[in-house]
């Protein structure tokens, strides 16, 4: 499930989450239906954007959904999934780009692919995926040759790139490939007027995907000696962040020119979740234009991009903690407060916990559950995977340790920018009047 746009279910809400899952499952089943079970391995979060954009532009009509049978990844439940040309185009693009990715790893000799038998098998799989993607692309009127040409040019550009080479020269083939895929969704939806702005959005999305991949792999590539565009061209993280923010802003502007029938999901993914992907890759929520003092500085927006109160204290803070005088260290239970030197629940407090003169005080922590054995843990692990709790649950019990753990998709920053509030609170965004 690789991809840079990984939305949190808490922010999507029930309606948009159901739509997003319909497109994800639709892409997976389109791959299986046209190319067999093994092809489902190339299902990815970014590929489903093609399906989302196609449906968002199309006139409302029957035939865009079908009921799929039980699946282990859905907890053996049926579901309404996307179907049609949008899902098939997404499958074709995913196959061709996955084929290119495998060939790139083989050329670099990454991991097991350094071994000749494994590399030979991988080349055959990549060639098969490339042919399959071309067939499906042809069926929906999309020439995948533009994708293949972009991949071939990428290899030559990387070989010639060095210190001083503009980073955008390296990202150009990816931009060209994604621009073509985004633009073709307008053709499938019967809205040719949308092709130009969608091509621009796709071009910038390809740039952003390439940049974020380079940023996330920078340390790993340095340790393994692999080629990385940032290292090879001598581009700093500051410059990469500026380029990423400019690309994100350009995508938002391009989406304004697109005529959607129902563009809520497409807008949320490309205008908002993509911004969170940038923050996640760079490890901060600051805007990349802070250096010019115009906007995006931490002082102007505070953590998470929300405007801070003019007093500089946190929202909801007690007046004694900075509004009318110097803040009291540690708050009302800090060490400088003579009336509560250790806090009401500190063991050293004579009126609570272990210092209670009438006894040590009751323990409010129940004993933890015992660990499971090996086979019982295996059975629990299978159950967790089949019910999707590992991915989708806010919290689940570890199969062997029985400790509470967070689901893979539960680590979100929902409190920083709900729905479309960023349109009003972040000056460097100023993206829309979406009304989500």
């Amino acid at each position: 499930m690789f991809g840079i746009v990984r939305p949190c279910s808490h922010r999507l809400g029930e309606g948009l989450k159901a739509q997003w899952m319909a497109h994800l499952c639709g892409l997976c089943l389109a791959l299986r239906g046209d190319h067999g079970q093994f092809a489902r391995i190339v299902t990815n979060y970014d590929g489903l954007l093609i399906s989302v954009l196609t449906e968002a532009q199309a006139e409302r009509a029957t035939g865009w959904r079908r009921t799929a049978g039980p699946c282990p990844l859905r907890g053996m439940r049926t579901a309404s999934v996307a179907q049609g040309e949008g899902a098939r185009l997404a499958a074709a693009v995913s196959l061709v780009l996955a084929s290119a990715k495998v060939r790139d790893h083989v050329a670099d000799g990454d991991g097991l692919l350094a071994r000749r038998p494994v590399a030979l098998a991988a080349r055959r799989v990549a060639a098969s995926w490339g042919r399959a993607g071309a067939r499906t692309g042809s069926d929906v009127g999309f020439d995948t040759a533009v994708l293949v040409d972009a991949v071939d040019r990428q290899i030559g550009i990387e070989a010639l790139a060095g210190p001083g080479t503009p980073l955008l020269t390296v990202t150009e083939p990816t931009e060209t490939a994604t621009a073509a895929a985004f633009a073709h969704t307008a053709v499938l939806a019967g809205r040719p007027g949308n092709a130009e702005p969608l091509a621009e959005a796709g071009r910038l999305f390809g740039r952003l995907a390439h940049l974020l991949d380079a940023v996330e792999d920078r340390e790993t590539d340095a340790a393994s000696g692999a080629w990385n565009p940032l290292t090879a061209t001598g581009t700093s993280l500051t410059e990469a962040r500026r380029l990423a923010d400019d690309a994100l802003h350009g995508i938002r502007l391009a989406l304004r020119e697109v005529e959607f029938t129902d563009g809520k999901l497409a807008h949320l993914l490309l205008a908002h979740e993509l911004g969170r992907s940038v923050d996640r890759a760079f490890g901060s929520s600051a805007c990349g234009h802070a250096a010019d003092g115009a906007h995006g500085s931490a002082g102007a927006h505070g953590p998470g991009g929300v405007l801070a109160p003019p007093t500089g204290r946190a929202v909801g803070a007690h007046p004694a903690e900075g509004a009318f005088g110097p803040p009291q260290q540690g708050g009302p239970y800090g060490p400088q407060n003579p009336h509560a030197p250790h806090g009401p629940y500190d063991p050293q407090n004579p009126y609570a916990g272990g210092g209670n003169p009438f006894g040590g005080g009751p323990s409010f922590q129940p004993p933890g559950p015992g660990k499971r054995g090996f086979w019982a843990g295996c059975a629990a692990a299978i159950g967790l995977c089949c019910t999707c709790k590992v991915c989708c649950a806010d919290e689940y019990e570890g199969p062997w340790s029985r400790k509470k753990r967070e689901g893979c998709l539960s680590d979100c920053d929902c409190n920083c920018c709900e729905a479309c509030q960023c349109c009003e609170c972040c000056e460097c965004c100023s993206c829309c009047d979406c009304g989500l």
Side-chain angles (χ1 to χ4, degrees), residues 122-205:
R123 285 194 187 95
R124 290 181 176 177
V125 170
S128 174
W129 283 348
R131 292 191 297 269
R135 288 196 304 271
T136 301
S138 178
D139 291 343
V140 296
F142 180 66
D143 187 3
T144 58
V146 65
L147 306 183
V148 176
D149 175 69
V151 172
D152 291 340
R153 286 190 297 108
Q154 185 75 54
I155 297 173
I157 290 173
E158 291 182 358
L160 296 175
T165 301
L167 186 59
L168 298 187
T169 300
V170 179
T171 63
E172 181 274 324
T174 307
E175 296 176 19
T176 301
T178 51
F182 273 45
H184 196 69
T185 64
V187 177
L188 295 182
R191 292 186 183 270
N194 287 343
E196 185 176 348
L198 282 175
E200 177 67 7
R203 182 180 68 84
L204 295 172
F205 179 83

Side-chain angles (χ1 to χ4, degrees), residues 40-201:
R40 299 170 81 175
I41 198 174
V42 308
T43 303
N44 67 94
Y45 294 135
D46 293 346
L48 69 87
L49 290 173
I50 303 296
S51 179
V52 170
L53 285 171
T54 304
E55 186 174 298
Q57 300 170 76
E59 295 295 334
R60 299 295 91 184
T62 58
W64 288 99
R65 291 284 190 273
R66 72 178 179 87
T67 301
C71 174
L73 296 178
R74 292 194 300 267
M76 299 307 296
R77 295 187 297 271
T78 60
S80 176
V81 302
Q83 66 172 352
E85 293 183 328
R88 298 191 71 199
L89 175 61
V93 172
S94 297
L95 280 168
V96 173
L97 296 183
S99 170
K101 195 174 186 71
V102 170
R103 291 202 306 270
D104 184 53
H105 285 308
V106 170
D108 292 341
D110 295 335
L112 290 175
L113 295 176
R115 300 182 180 181
R116 191 170 181 178
V118 179
L120 180 62
R123 285 194 187 95
R124 290 181 176 177
V125 170
S128 174
W129 283 348
R131 292 191 297 269
R135 288 196 304 271
T136 301
S138 178
D139 291 343
V140 296
F142 180 66
D143 187 3
T144 58
V146 65
L147 306 183
V148 176
D149 175 69
V151 172
D152 291 340
R153 286 190 297 108
Q154 185 75 54
I155 297 173
I157 290 173
E158 291 182 358
L160 296 175
T165 301
L167 186 59
L168 298 187
T169 300
V170 179
T171 63
E172 181 274 324
T174 307
E175 296 176 19
T176 301
T178 51
F182 273 45
H184 196 69
T185 64
V187 177
L188 295 182
R191 292 186 183 270
N194 287 343
E196 185 176 348
L198 282 175
E200 177 67 7

